[in-house]
Amino acid sequence: MTTREDVENMIQRVGLGDRAAFSALYDATSAKLFGVCLRILNDRAEAEDALQDAFVRIWQKAGSYAVNGYSPMTWLITLTRNLAIDRLRARKGGAVDIDEVHDLKDTGPTPEAAAVAASERSRLDGCLNELDADRAEAVRGAYLEGYSYDELAARFAVPLNTMRTWLRRSLIKLKDCLSA
Amino acid sequence: MTQADDHNDDVTLAGEYALHLMDAAQRRAFEARLDAEPALRRLVVEWDEQLVPLADNFAEQTPPKAVKARIDAVLFPTAQKPSWSLWRILTGSAVAAALAVAVLVTLPLDRAPTPFAPSLVAQIAAEDQSLVVLASYAPDTGILRVDRQAGAAPSGRVLELWLIAEGAAAPVSLGVLPADAVTDITLPADLIPAIAGGTLAISEEPVGGSPTGTPTGAVLAVGAVTTI
């Protein structure tokens, strides 16, 4: 069982150029991070490339981890998710592909819960539930599928500016709830 | 616009950035602000931490073995130059390799009238000799003379010299090597006992030297200190 402290320790040692720690970090976290890439990119070959990008970046950036204020799994997941979405956007070139719609509600939480305290999860779920259902789903779609404003507008069949307004208001509401 | 409006705008922008909703141009503009505004950076970290519970929905999948091999090939092209971690050296597996490249060098002791009379030397060399630095220490003077005989820092980087005392937990920086081929370093008194039996190593670092106090770049060359 890899604890948060273990992952933190590995990242710090990677920051010192420790290759053994890099391999240990890969063994401990690559399945989760590959899951991020697969979900966002929905293509195995591209997900493998994105995972490679992510670990190259992790090696290069681990030295600055200690000062950036992130918890270890959040840092790894955020970095990986951003690279995967960059790749997704580059592939799509902004085009909306309406055919591969995922049912967001279909996918329940996995047993992999070690990285995140259950109370934080229920807090976020509680705050998302305070939003209108379709707006909460738009936030989930942006996070889990990497949907852009264009794609969200198309999926929810509303004008782009309406989607922007929805999302921005939802973010303010969400923040108020999460900070309460 | 009130201050509260401005703050709400930044909260929203940070949230849009965290969700990756911005287009490329907006994202670049926001990142330029992030570089300059710590408070905005904190807002993004806060969003990332608050949204990360959603990542529970990313189901784990073990990647194919080939991916790790590709990553290693990109990061550690071993055929090119050794980039051993100092930690590996410290943990022993690479000590033999370090000793193998350290050769005893006979200094021209009769090079009078110089009063510099070294009793300890190390040849800090890359495996392929692309970087060769001769270090010699004269106890009478407390000076470590560093003579770069081959090689130089990669472009835009500097060479930093490190001392790893026998059995030490971590390397200690002896400073960034100047552009001059030969330089004299006055060893701090507390490091003098550490030099005999120690190992010297050179890493490549950002200009100004390692920002962390430990090597951050590739370790280009190592050499054990030996008595003459």
Side-chain angles (χ1 to χ4, degrees), chain A residues 62-103:
Chain A
S64 61
Y65 164 75
V67 293
N68 65 23
Y70 280 101
S71 60
M73 281 313 293
T74 305
W75 184 67
L76 295 171
I77 289 169
T78 302
L79 181 155
T80 304
R81 180 178 165 272
N82 281 333
L83 287 173
I85 294 177
D86 287 341
R87 188 172 279 272
L88 178 74
R89 298 279 159 84
R91 177 221 291 172
K92 289 189 174 170
V96 180
D97 178 6
I98 210 77
D99 292 332
E100 0 159 346
V101 181
H102 296 278
D103 186 343

Side-chain angles (χ1 to χ4, degrees), chain B residues 33-55:
Chain B
R33 279 191 64 196
L34 282 180
D35 285 340
E37 298 177 44
L40 200 59
R41 272 203 305 275
R42 278 195 295 277
L43 280 178
V44 171
V45 173
E46 211 172 280
W47 269 119
D48 284 332
E49 292 286 356
Q50 286 172 328
L51 291 169
V52 85
L54 281 171

